[in-house]
């Protein structure tokens, strides 16, 4: 089911494409449910293994437009101090001035600028990712997992996806050299998103 850009492969005519009723029914504003969503990351450590972590405190909004899917938008705010890698000392280092400097820059944000369908239920959302005082473009490939009404009567939509960044592009350059060659922390960071969002009730 297409949620974003449907590519029109028909010849250029004055005909108007019909709106998919199932798509139109999803039109609305959705609030990300942090209790059933996760934003995670994976980065190479000491050249030989991976460290995985997540940000437990985040909020965001999806605005889905069934009549004009390309107008759909997404915005996410992530609280840096909620980083969790399972090691308290490591988390403390990540929020320090060596890395995120959470005291000065408490939020990481994403604001979409474009959405398109890649094929089937796979999409690419492009936008601006801000970490510390740097804002750079980021494209996130997402799979639409569907929609459902939960036992409490909430209409939900679900997405999961991933992206890769170089942390140095956002000024996260701290590192330490290894005696055997290489560095302690890899530059490439794999981001993962598993999002469940609840449709807001229509305003009276």
């Amino acid at each position: 089911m297409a949620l974003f850009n449907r590519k029109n492969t028909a010849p250029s005519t004055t005909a108007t494409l019909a709106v998919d009723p199932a798509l139109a029914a999803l039109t609305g504003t959705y609030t990300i449910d942090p209790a059933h969503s996760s934003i995670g990351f994976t980065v190479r450590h000491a050249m030989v293994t991976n460290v995985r972590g997540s940000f437990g405190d985040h909020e965001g909004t999806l605005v889905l437009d069934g009549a004009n899917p390309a107008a759909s938008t997404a915005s996410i705010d992530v609280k840096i101090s909620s980083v969790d890698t399972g090691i308290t000392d490591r988390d403390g280092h990540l929020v320090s001035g060596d890395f995120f400097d959470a005291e000065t820059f408490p939020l990481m944000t994403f604001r979409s600028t474009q959405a398109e369908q890649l094929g089937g239920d796979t999409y690419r959302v492009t936008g601006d990712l801000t970490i510390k005082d740097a804002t750079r473009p980021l494209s996130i490939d997402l799979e639409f997992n569907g929609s459902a009404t939960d036992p409490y009567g909430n209409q939900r939509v679900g997405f999961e996806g991933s992206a890769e960044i170089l942390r140095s592009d956002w000024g996260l350059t701290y590192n330490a050299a290894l005696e055997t060659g290489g560095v302690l922390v890899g530059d490439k960071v794999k981001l993962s998103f598993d999002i469940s969002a609840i449709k807001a009730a229509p305003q009276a």
Side-chain angles (χ1 to χ4, degrees):
M1 178 186 299
L3 287 180
F4 302 117
N5 266 350
R6 281 177 176 255
K7 294 181 178 178
N8 183 6
T9 58
S12 177
T13 68
T14 57
T16 300
L17 295 177
V19 175
D20 184 339
L23 174 60
L26 296 179
T27 295
T29 299
Y30 294 75
T31 300
I32 293 176
D33 176 9
H36 297 94
S37 302
S38 64
I39 297 175
F41 62 89
T42 304
V43 63
R44 185 74 75 182
H45 178 262
M47 309 294 292
V48 298
T49 190
N50 291 317
V51 168
R52 293 176 174 82
S54 62
F55 295 93
D57 192 344
H58 55 269
E59 60 184 22
T61 302
L62 309 177
V63 179
L64 305 183
D65 188 332
N68 180 20
S72 298
T73 63
S75 64
I76 301 174
D77 293 341
V78 177
K79 192 172 183 180
I80 294 297
S81 63
S82 70
V83 66
D84 181 6
T85 65
I87 303 294
T88 300
D89 287 347
R90 182 165 58 205
D91 297 342
H93 193 195
L94 287 173
V95 301
S96 75
D98 282 345
F99 285 95
F100 287 108
D101 192 3
E103 184 174 349
T104 305
F105 306 102
L107 293 178
M108 172 172 60
T109 66
F110 177 78
R111 301 290 184 266
S112 69
T113 57
Q114 182 182 4
E116 60 181 321
Q117 184 182 13
L118 300 181
D121 286 334
T122 304
Y123 306 87
R124 178 167 293 153
V125 178
T126 300
D128 294 324
L129 176 66
T130 299
I131 303 175
K132 299 176 74 173
D133 56 352
T135 299
R136 296 178 62 86
L138 173 69
S139 291
I140 305 171
D141 288 347
L142 294 166
E143 181 177 354
F144 175 53
N145 288 337
S147 63
T149 301
D150 68 21
Y152 304 100
N154 299 311
Q155 184 177 359
R156 291 178 178 266
V157 293
F159 297 88
E160 60 180 313
S162 62
E164 288 188 357
I165 66 171
L166 298 179
R167 61 188 180 90
S168 58
D169 286 343
W170 279 266
L172 301 174
T173 56
Y174 172 85
N175 228 321
L178 301 175
E179 292 184 4
T180 52
V183 292
L184 182 64
V185 185
D187 193 22
K188 181 187 295 183
V189 180
K190 298 178 181 178
L191 304 176
S192 61
F193 305 86
D194 200 341
I195 302 297
S196 178
I198 299 173
K199 190 174 187 179
Q203 293 185 350

